[in-house]
Every structure is written in C-alpha cells, then in structure tokens.
Amino acid sequence: MTINTHFQQLPDNYLFKEISNRVEAFQQSHPNARVLRLGVGDVTRPLPLPVVDAMHRAVEELAHPETFRGYCPEEGYPWLRQTIIDNDYRPRGVQLELEEVFISEGAGSDLGNLSELFSSANRVAILDPSYPAYVDSSVMAGREIEFLPCHADNNFVPSLPKEKADIIYLCFPNNPTGTVLTHDQLKAWVEYARTNKSLIIFDAAYESFIEDSDIPHSIYEIEGAKEVAVEVRSYSKSSGFTAVRCGWTVVPKATGLQAMWMRRQCTKYNGTAYVAQRAAEATYTPLGKDGIQNNLAHYKGTAQLLSQGLRDLGFEVYGGKNAPYIWCRVPKGYTSWSFFDCLLNNCQIVCTPGAGFGPSGESYVRFSAFSNRKDCEEALKRLQALA
Ligand code: PLP
C-alpha cells in the first residue's frame, strides 16, 4: 500500500478544528467566561414547525410495514427534484430536466466528490480567500491551482485567470467576503468558460441571502451557462439543515458530465435519507416557506446589526448584505490570527481569522451573522470597551 502523498501538502489542521482547539483551551482556563461565538457559519435557529412535522410523518411511515421504504433512489426522489425545478429555477426563467438535478446530503460532500470526474492534469482556478473545501479537494487530487486574489482594491471581485484554467470554483454570495456578483460580472465568467472550454463549479450555498434584484440566484440565469457550469446548492443555510443534511447539485446534460455523475452516484452514493428529503420538500409548502423566511429575516437582521455596529466602531467592513458574512479589516499591527486571539482573550468573542481562507485573507477576520441578536449586541458592546 502507498498513500496519496498529496495529502501531505494540506495544512495540518482544518481551519475550524484549529479555532475550536483555541476556544476550548481558552474556555478551560476561563470556565466562567461567556464566549460569544461569531465564528463558524453554523445556523442557530430551530427548524420551522412544518419541516419538523414532515420529518415526524416520514419517521412514522418508516415505522409501519405498509408504508416502510428501503433505499432511496441514488439521485433523489423525483417529487423533490421536480419541486426544486418548479420553485428554485422555473420562476427565474431556467428550464432544467429532472435528470439534471441530483439530491445530495449537502453541498460539502458534492463539492469534494465532483473532483473525481476530472483528470488530475486539469488546472484549477480558486478565489483567494475562499471556503477551504475547493483548495483541499484540489490538493488531494494533485491539481495545479491558480489563486485569484480578492482584496479591497478589486472590491473582492476576482480577475479572470492569467493562464487557462480548466476548472473554476466560484462561490457567490461569497464565503468569506460576503461579495456578490451582478448579472454582467457573472456573465464574464460564463463567457470565459465557454471560450476556454472550462467548467465552472458554482457554489450557491448562500443564494437565499440575496435581496438585490440584479444579482443572479443561479448561474443558469446567464445564457449559455448550462454547457459550462455545475451548480451546488444546500438547505443548510437557507433552511437550517446543517444537522439534517440535504442539498442538491445540478449537472446539466450539456456539460457532458450528467451520465458520468449519475454513474458515480450509483456506485458510491446510496441516496439521501428519506426523512431529510421529506424535510426538504416541506420547506416549499406555504407554511414552510414562511418559517424559512422568518429565520432568514432574523439572520439578515443580525448581519445588518453587526456590519453597521462594526462600521460605527471605526472598522473597515465589507459584506453583510446579500450574505450572512461580515469581512472586517483587522486594526494596524495585527495579523488575522493575532486579532482572533485578541478578541478571544480580551472580549471573549470568537471570529474566524481570514488567513484560514487563503493568503489574501491575512488582514481580515470574518464575523458570522448566524447568531442571536442579544449576542451580537453584547459583542458590539465588548468591542466598544476594547476600542
Ligand atoms: N459551501 C460553502 C461556501 C459553505 O460555506 C459551506 C458551509 O459552510 C458549504 C458549502 C457546505 O455546506 P453543507 O452544509 O451543505 O455541506
């Protein structure tokens, strides 16, 4: 046996593991401190009742011989895939076939697994900073990476790659910077991919935070994108499903990858949990939608509170609108990790050091709006005392 030595190129510790180690160490030495967690982008609001009811009903079905079900279809139940097409795509003028939508256990696994479809000789372009999964899975596969720096001078909007990229990971609304792309900005990427015969892996995990009308919710709103883009979506942040686990991936037939992905899923994926698929279906009922919108309104409110509050305290702040993340420049003299340590030790606030998302994140920290209003207000008070 020989191991995949590409793993040795990965940083020793996954970013969020390192953060939780430092927070745990702090908490152990300060057992009475009330730590405010504005770091990891995990949801905090409970599931809406119609979703919980749907899960109860699904469990009950599994409990009786006449309604029991075994393995779910590898690509997901047609009733959920059709519901996604009817609610998330058709109203935006996007026509998809049922066979192009694959239900998943969330975006994270598919973002990694899609990498299997491509040869390791492909050159990959990835935004810097970015959600770590794109870099990590490309490194594991031994691919060459071109980083596309995103900083205040380019408004965190990346330039096109300098050398031809075969695979491009785009994430908008962006984690961690909170940046969004207008229709025209995204169109430039679709045109690049069409000209260069590249594939865009479009991560739209934060689509539900979009409020401005000129921002596309799906890459397929751009003409010609179906030939060059795979889109990855998730119920995690839109519907509070980080524990439930459900999402979907669109692999259009026009990419030439749909049959390959189906083949891959049949061998390696035995379907998303039935209970999770029923829960996802319930998010589209009128009451389900109300509950989801209620939770989203809460997070949008905390995003607004945090970004305005930080701005008022004199911080240079980006994001927080159309996205649940606030990207904040650290004060002079700090690195992103030293400011993380400063906030933890002096204010008992947890943020995420920007350097964990790539070298261009070095002068920033990320605050997450997935928190309750009281904690955000308290965090701002503590920061004011620090200033
Ligand atoms: N993509 C981005 C940009 C994310 O920030 C996350 C999670 O934080 C994911 C994907 C993974 O989400 P999921 O819970 O659907 O696996």
Side-chain angles (χ1 to χ4, degrees), residues 140-163:
M140 287 172 192
R143 298 204 175 92
E144 187 192 341
I145 301 174
E146 176 176 339
F147 289 99
L148 310 174
C150 300
H151 36 69
D153 293 346
N154 62 9
N155 268 326
F156 303 96
V157 174
S159 304
L160 295 169
K162 288 201 174 69
E163 278 182 57

mmCIF file of all heavy atoms in Angstrom, residues 140-163:
data_model
loop_
_atom_site.group_PDB
_atom_site.id
_atom_site.type_symbol
_atom_site.label_atom_id
_atom_site.label_comp_id
_atom_site.label_asym_id
_atom_site.label_seq_id
_atom_site.Cartn_x
_atom_site.Cartn_y
_atom_site.Cartn_z
ATOM 1 N N MET A 140 -5.790 17.417 -2.719
ATOM 2 C CA MET A 140 -5.870 15.954 -2.547
ATOM 3 C C MET A 140 -5.763 15.238 -3.899
ATOM 4 O O MET A 140 -5.237 14.137 -3.990
ATOM 5 C CB MET A 140 -7.198 15.571 -1.879
ATOM 6 C CG MET A 140 -7.283 15.914 -0.408
ATOM 7 S SD MET A 140 -8.974 15.623 0.192
ATOM 8 C CE MET A 140 -8.928 16.426 1.786
ATOM 9 N N ALA A 141 -6.300 15.891 -4.952
ATOM 10 C CA ALA A 141 -6.277 15.272 -6.278
ATOM 11 C C ALA A 141 -4.983 15.591 -7.035
ATOM 12 O O ALA A 141 -4.786 15.119 -8.150
ATOM 13 C CB ALA A 141 -7.476 15.756 -7.091
ATOM 14 N N GLY A 142 -4.113 16.386 -6.433
ATOM 15 C CA GLY A 142 -2.823 16.689 -7.056
ATOM 16 C C GLY A 142 -2.911 17.674 -8.205
ATOM 17 O O GLY A 142 -2.092 17.627 -9.126
ATOM 18 N N ARG A 143 -3.894 18.558 -8.181
ATOM 19 C CA ARG A 143 -4.043 19.511 -9.295
ATOM 20 C C ARG A 143 -3.270 20.802 -9.044
ATOM 21 O O ARG A 143 -3.135 21.240 -7.896
ATOM 22 C CB ARG A 143 -5.526 19.856 -9.493
ATOM 23 C CG ARG A 143 -6.334 18.658 -9.847
ATOM 24 C CD ARG A 143 -7.610 18.985 -10.598
ATOM 25 N NE ARG A 143 -8.198 17.726 -10.968
ATOM 26 C CZ ARG A 143 -9.108 17.078 -10.223
ATOM 27 N NH1 ARG A 143 -9.573 17.622 -9.134
ATOM 28 N NH2 ARG A 143 -9.544 15.897 -10.606
ATOM 29 N N GLU A 144 -2.856 21.410 -10.144
ATOM 30 C CA GLU A 144 -2.198 22.713 -10.051
ATOM 31 C C GLU A 144 -3.267 23.779 -9.830
ATOM 32 O O GLU A 144 -4.324 23.752 -10.477
ATOM 33 C CB GLU A 144 -1.440 22.990 -11.359
ATOM 34 C CG GLU A 144 -0.589 24.231 -11.316
ATOM 35 C CD GLU A 144 -0.103 24.631 -12.702
ATOM 36 O OE1 GLU A 144 -0.107 23.776 -13.625
ATOM 37 O OE2 GLU A 144 0.261 25.806 -12.861
ATOM 38 N N ILE A 145 -3.005 24.704 -8.913
ATOM 39 C CA ILE A 145 -4.009 25.718 -8.572
ATOM 40 C C ILE A 145 -3.496 27.111 -8.911
ATOM 41 O O ILE A 145 -2.357 27.453 -8.577
ATOM 42 C CB ILE A 145 -4.341 25.682 -7.061
ATOM 43 C CG1 ILE A 145 -4.869 24.300 -6.658
ATOM 44 C CG2 ILE A 145 -5.362 26.770 -6.692
ATOM 45 C CD1 ILE A 145 -5.098 24.130 -5.160
ATOM 46 N N GLU A 146 -4.336 27.903 -9.566
ATOM 47 C CA GLU A 146 -4.046 29.351 -9.683
ATOM 48 C C GLU A 146 -4.999 30.077 -8.739
ATOM 49 O O GLU A 146 -6.226 29.901 -8.822
ATOM 50 C CB GLU A 146 -4.262 29.854 -11.122
ATOM 51 C CG GLU A 146 -4.059 31.372 -11.210
ATOM 52 C CD GLU A 146 -4.161 31.937 -12.628
ATOM 53 O OE1 GLU A 146 -3.998 31.178 -13.607
ATOM 54 O OE2 GLU A 146 -4.426 33.156 -12.732
ATOM 55 N N PHE A 147 -4.428 30.859 -7.843
ATOM 56 C CA PHE A 147 -5.270 31.614 -6.909
ATOM 57 C C PHE A 147 -5.624 32.965 -7.517
ATOM 58 O O PHE A 147 -4.784 33.605 -8.149
ATOM 59 C CB PHE A 147 -4.548 31.801 -5.571
ATOM 60 C CG PHE A 147 -4.445 30.517 -4.806
ATOM 61 C CD1 PHE A 147 -3.279 29.757 -4.822
ATOM 62 C CD2 PHE A 147 -5.535 30.041 -4.094
ATOM 63 C CE1 PHE A 147 -3.196 28.554 -4.138
ATOM 64 C CE2 PHE A 147 -5.459 28.839 -3.399
ATOM 65 C CZ PHE A 147 -4.300 28.096 -3.425
ATOM 66 N N LEU A 148 -6.845 33.372 -7.337
ATOM 67 C CA LEU A 148 -7.331 34.646 -7.885
ATOM 68 C C LEU A 148 -7.569 35.587 -6.707
ATOM 69 O O LEU A 148 -8.586 35.469 -6.001
ATOM 70 C CB LEU A 148 -8.635 34.424 -8.661
ATOM 71 C CG LEU A 148 -8.617 33.290 -9.704
ATOM 72 C CD1 LEU A 148 -10.009 33.077 -10.298
ATOM 73 C CD2 LEU A 148 -7.618 33.594 -10.817
ATOM 74 N N PRO A 149 -6.615 36.488 -6.452
ATOM 75 C CA PRO A 149 -6.707 37.319 -5.246
ATOM 76 C C PRO A 149 -7.936 38.235 -5.255
ATOM 77 O O PRO A 149 -8.255 38.852 -6.272
ATOM 78 C CB PRO A 149 -5.425 38.152 -5.281
ATOM 79 C CG PRO A 149 -4.546 37.507 -6.298
ATOM 80 C CD PRO A 149 -5.423 36.781 -7.253
ATOM 81 N N CYS A 150 -8.591 38.305 -4.122
ATOM 82 C CA CYS A 150 -9.751 39.187 -3.949
ATOM 83 C C CYS A 150 -9.432 40.089 -2.764
ATOM 84 O O CYS A 150 -9.225 39.601 -1.649
ATOM 85 C CB CYS A 150 -11.006 38.380 -3.630
ATOM 86 S SG CYS A 150 -11.431 37.206 -4.919
ATOM 87 N N HIS A 151 -9.344 41.376 -3.026
ATOM 88 C CA HIS A 151 -8.995 42.318 -1.949
ATOM 89 C C HIS A 151 -9.793 43.599 -2.144
ATOM 90 O O HIS A 151 -10.531 43.744 -3.142
ATOM 91 C CB HIS A 151 -7.484 42.581 -1.929
ATOM 92 C CG HIS A 151 -6.892 42.620 -3.302
ATOM 93 N ND1 HIS A 151 -7.163 43.626 -4.177
ATOM 94 C CD2 HIS A 151 -6.102 41.744 -3.959
ATOM 95 C CE1 HIS A 151 -6.547 43.391 -5.314
ATOM 96 N NE2 HIS A 151 -5.900 42.245 -5.219
ATOM 97 N N ALA A 152 -9.607 44.527 -1.194
ATOM 98 C CA ALA A 152 -10.425 45.746 -1.223
ATOM 99 C C ALA A 152 -10.260 46.492 -2.541
ATOM 100 O O ALA A 152 -11.212 47.088 -3.054
ATOM 101 C CB ALA A 152 -10.063 46.631 -0.034
ATOM 102 N N ASP A 153 -9.032 46.450 -3.119
ATOM 103 C CA ASP A 153 -8.779 47.216 -4.354
ATOM 104 C C ASP A 153 -9.596 46.715 -5.535
ATOM 105 O O ASP A 153 -9.869 47.480 -6.460
ATOM 106 C CB ASP A 153 -7.288 47.163 -4.736
ATOM 107 C CG ASP A 153 -6.454 47.903 -3.717
ATOM 108 O OD1 ASP A 153 -7.044 48.653 -2.915
ATOM 109 O OD2 ASP A 153 -5.223 47.696 -3.697
ATOM 110 N N ASN A 154 -9.914 45.432 -5.566
ATOM 111 C CA ASN A 154 -10.779 44.954 -6.660
ATOM 112 C C ASN A 154 -12.203 44.656 -6.150
ATOM 113 O O ASN A 154 -12.942 43.899 -6.776
ATOM 114 C CB ASN A 154 -10.162 43.769 -7.421
ATOM 115 C CG ASN A 154 -9.927 42.530 -6.553
ATOM 116 O OD1 ASN A 154 -10.373 42.478 -5.411
ATOM 117 N ND2 ASN A 154 -9.230 41.549 -7.076
ATOM 118 N N ASN A 155 -12.545 45.250 -5.028
ATOM 119 C CA ASN A 155 -13.875 45.046 -4.425
ATOM 120 C C ASN A 155 -14.185 43.586 -4.162
ATOM 121 O O ASN A 155 -15.329 43.174 -4.166
ATOM 122 C CB ASN A 155 -14.956 45.609 -5.350
ATOM 123 C CG ASN A 155 -15.255 47.039 -4.996
ATOM 124 O OD1 ASN A 155 -15.205 47.403 -3.815
ATOM 125 N ND2 ASN A 155 -15.547 47.842 -6.007
ATOM 126 N N PHE A 156 -13.130 42.799 -3.977
ATOM 127 C CA PHE A 156 -13.261 41.361 -3.712
ATOM 128 C C PHE A 156 -13.871 40.596 -4.884
ATOM 129 O O PHE A 156 -14.383 39.501 -4.723
ATOM 130 C CB PHE A 156 -14.020 41.106 -2.403
ATOM 131 C CG PHE A 156 -13.373 41.770 -1.233
ATOM 132 C CD1 PHE A 156 -13.804 43.022 -0.796
ATOM 133 C CD2 PHE A 156 -12.281 41.199 -0.602
ATOM 134 C CE1 PHE A 156 -13.176 43.671 0.263
ATOM 135 C CE2 PHE A 156 -11.639 41.834 0.450
ATOM 136 C CZ PHE A 156 -12.091 43.067 0.887
ATOM 137 N N VAL A 157 -13.826 41.221 -6.059
ATOM 138 C CA VAL A 157 -14.290 40.562 -7.289
ATOM 139 C C VAL A 157 -13.047 40.101 -8.046
ATOM 140 O O VAL A 157 -12.205 40.925 -8.418
ATOM 141 C CB VAL A 157 -15.117 41.535 -8.162
ATOM 142 C CG1 VAL A 157 -15.471 40.894 -9.494
ATOM 143 C CG2 VAL A 157 -16.365 41.987 -7.408
ATOM 144 N N PRO A 158 -12.886 38.788 -8.255
ATOM 145 C CA PRO A 158 -11.646 38.292 -8.843
ATOM 146 C C PRO A 158 -11.511 38.656 -10.314
ATOM 147 O O PRO A 158 -12.518 38.773 -11.029
ATOM 148 C CB PRO A 158 -11.789 36.768 -8.701
ATOM 149 C CG PRO A 158 -13.264 36.532 -8.701
ATOM 150 C CD PRO A 158 -13.872 37.720 -8.008
ATOM 151 N N SER A 159 -10.253 38.805 -10.758
ATOM 152 C CA SER A 159 -9.987 38.944 -12.195
ATOM 153 C C SER A 159 -9.994 37.552 -12.822
ATOM 154 O O SER A 159 -9.820 36.546 -12.120
ATOM 155 C CB SER A 159 -8.607 39.547 -12.412
ATOM 156 O OG SER A 159 -8.522 40.754 -11.735
ATOM 157 N N LEU A 160 -10.150 37.504 -14.126
ATOM 158 C CA LEU A 160 -10.104 36.221 -14.834
ATOM 159 C C LEU A 160 -8.704 35.624 -14.676
ATOM 160 O O LEU A 160 -7.731 36.370 -14.495
ATOM 161 C CB LEU A 160 -10.428 36.447 -16.312
ATOM 162 C CG LEU A 160 -11.861 36.941 -16.574
ATOM 163 C CD1 LEU A 160 -12.032 37.391 -18.015
ATOM 164 C CD2 LEU A 160 -12.893 35.878 -16.221
ATOM 165 N N PRO A 161 -8.570 34.289 -14.775
ATOM 166 C CA PRO A 161 -7.249 33.665 -14.577
ATOM 167 C C PRO A 161 -6.231 34.175 -15.591
ATOM 168 O O PRO A 161 -6.582 34.516 -16.717
ATOM 169 C CB PRO A 161 -7.532 32.168 -14.829
ATOM 170 C CG PRO A 161 -8.995 32.005 -14.644
ATOM 171 C CD PRO A 161 -9.643 33.304 -14.999
ATOM 172 N N LYS A 162 -4.958 34.193 -15.167
ATOM 173 C CA LYS A 162 -3.883 34.659 -16.079
ATOM 174 C C LYS A 162 -3.571 33.577 -17.101
ATOM 175 O O LYS A 162 -3.364 33.843 -18.269
ATOM 176 C CB LYS A 162 -2.633 34.974 -15.266
ATOM 177 C CG LYS A 162 -2.767 36.234 -14.427
ATOM 178 C CD LYS A 162 -1.383 36.789 -14.064
ATOM 179 C CE LYS A 162 -1.473 38.122 -13.357
ATOM 180 N NZ LYS A 162 -2.055 38.036 -11.991
ATOM 181 N N GLU A 163 -3.510 32.314 -16.593
ATOM 182 C CA GLU A 163 -3.300 31.180 -17.501
ATOM 183 C C GLU A 163 -4.601 30.426 -17.625
ATOM 184 O O GLU A 163 -5.432 30.467 -16.720
ATOM 185 C CB GLU A 163 -2.251 30.240 -16.897
ATOM 186 C CG GLU A 163 -0.833 30.673 -17.139
ATOM 187 C CD GLU A 163 0.140 29.654 -16.549
ATOM 188 O OE1 GLU A 163 0.082 28.472 -16.921
ATOM 189 O OE2 GLU A 163 0.917 30.074 -15.672
#
